[in-house]
Amino acid sequence: EKVEITKEQQALMKIITDAYNRHQIPQDVAKKLLQDQYSAEENFLLLTEMATSQVQVLVEFTKNIPGFLSLDREDQIALLKGSAVEAMFLRSAQVFNRKTPSGHTEVLEERIRKSGISEEFITPMFNFYKSIGELHMVQEEQALLTTVTILTPDRPYVKDQQAVERLQETILDVLRKLCVLQHPQEPQYFARLLGRLTELRTLSHYHTEMLASWRMNDHKFTPLLCEIWDVQ
Ligand SMILES: CC(C)c1onc(-c2c(Cl)cccc2Cl)c1COc1ccc(-c2ccc3[nH]c(C(=O)O)cc3c2)cc1
């Protein structure tokens, strides 16, 4: 049957996509990736600064998701804490696959590969970046997929999962229609997108181990990262 995005779904998609594009880490922070020290210590410090800035951007973006601020306040926190790593994997994946002339892609990869992360996590991480790149998502799909990730009902400590589920289903319906309209020759494209969410959960588990091994080597995080990742 003919798939059609309604007027209100169009408006919802515009709000989310505009917010996603508006909330980016400041270019002066991103430019720090280009400075010339490349020690493991220096790379870790830079990546910590990027992650901290990215979390701030993520919090601001999340406030623009229609209905999010109407959720129980503690549930809002639980959703942010539960999705921060996954949202940052998605955002950094988009940076890698942007291949902008600014060339941050190469230096970002270089710094991640030399920041004290063990090879067993580096391989799945860059396989994920590659699999995201192969999807050639339009920016609306990127924004909606990040929103679906944030609105995952079964994060730890979420009390009113029903309320989150209702919001997520609204976004999933728009994303499903958008995928059909954007990729008519690939009917299973939406299913492929959702498959990435499963991969994100695996990466999130790896990330917990990455944090533990950094801490074992006495690496320090910022207060914001300690709060969102329950470390220190
Ligand atoms: C605390 C640090 C060391 C950390 O721990 N885990 C990760 C970590 C890692 Cl490696 C991988 C994936 C997720 C996390 Cl969460 C990180 C570093 O996290 C980030 C690194 C870079 C970026 C980021 C975001 C947007 C950007 N735009 C641009 C630009 O050039 O415009 C560069 C850029 C970088 C975001 C998070």
Side-chain angles (χ1 to χ4, degrees):
E1 89 292 359
K2 189 167 172 346
V3 161
E4 150 186 347
I5 293 180
T6 66
K7 280 261 164 291
E8 54 267 16
Q9 286 180 320
Q10 194 75 39
L12 181 64
M13 186 159 62
K14 181 165 174 24
I15 290 167
I16 290 173
T17 306
D18 289 351
Y20 190 75
N21 292 333
R22 199 167 54 249
H23 294 110
Q24 306 253 1
I25 66 169
Q27 271 316 306
D28 60 308
V29 174
K31 276 201 171 53
K32 290 189 177 179
L33 284 167
L34 303 171
Q35 70 189 25
D36 53 4
Q37 293 95 337
Y38 276 86
S39 71
E41 287 311 303
E42 188 56 40
N43 292 339
F44 177 81
L45 283 175
L46 257 180
L47 290 173
T48 299
E49 193 171 344
M50 307 298 287
T52 304
S53 176
Q54 184 61 43
V55 168
Q56 289 161 338
V57 164
L58 179 66
V59 171
E60 287 316 304
F61 165 67
T62 306
K63 287 178 186 169
N64 291 273
I65 298 171
F68 184 83
L69 293 178
S70 313
L71 293 170
D72 172 278
R73 179 72 47 166
E74 287 172 353
D75 284 355
Q76 292 177 31
I77 305 291
L79 292 177
L80 272 167
K81 286 167 71 110
S83 66
V85 170
E86 294 177 20
M88 288 206 266
F89 266 104
L90 279 174
R91 175 64 80 170
S92 51
Q94 275 124 38
V95 172
F96 275 116
N97 296 297
R98 211 163 53 194
K99 298 268 179 263
T100 43
S102 68
H104 294 171
T105 310
E106 284 71 36
V107 289
L108 180 59
E109 172 158 1
E110 177 75 17
R111 294 194 188 277
I112 289 179
R113 287 188 183 279
K114 291 194 184 61
S115 62
I117 299 171
S118 94
E119 201 49 44
E120 71 181 294
F121 305 133
I122 291 288
T123 306
M125 186 187 293
F126 283 92
N127 287 342
F128 174 75
Y129 288 146
K130 189 163 165 288
S131 70
I132 288 286
E134 286 160 358
L135 287 168
H136 302 294
M137 278 190 271
V138 298
Q139 57 174 356
E140 290 82 357
E141 287 165 340
Q142 291 179 17
L144 292 175
L145 189 65
T146 299
T147 304
V148 165
T149 303
I150 294 165
L151 297 176
T152 298
D154 63 341
R155 297 295 186 193
Y157 315 113
V158 171
K159 296 172 294 189
D160 188 353
Q161 292 200 10
Q162 291 273 327
V164 183
E165 206 159 339
R166 273 194 300 275
L167 288 183
Q168 190 192 47
E169 268 156 20
T170 309
I171 308 297
L172 278 168
D173 193 38
V174 188
L175 183 54
R176 180 181 53 76
K177 290 181 175 179
L178 184 67
C179 289
V180 170
L181 295 170
Q182 289 285 342
H183 310 269
Q185 76 287 15
E186 213 192 323
Q188 79 287 3
Y189 184 86
F190 179 58
R192 275 178 72 195
L193 266 200
L194 297 189
R196 298 284 74 86
L197 297 185
T198 310
E199 210 173 331
L200 273 174
R201 292 229 185 181
T202 308
L203 288 165
S204 183
H205 294 308
Y206 286 145
H207 188 265
T208 307
E209 293 176 54
M210 278 161 60
L211 287 180
S213 78
W214 271 318
R215 289 181 57 220
M216 239 185 304
N217 301 310
D218 205 25
H219 283 81
K220 291 273 174 286
F221 299 101
T222 58
L224 179 59
L225 293 179
C226 291
E227 196 182 326
I228 203 141
W229 288 339
D230 286 332
V231 288
Q232 246 119 332

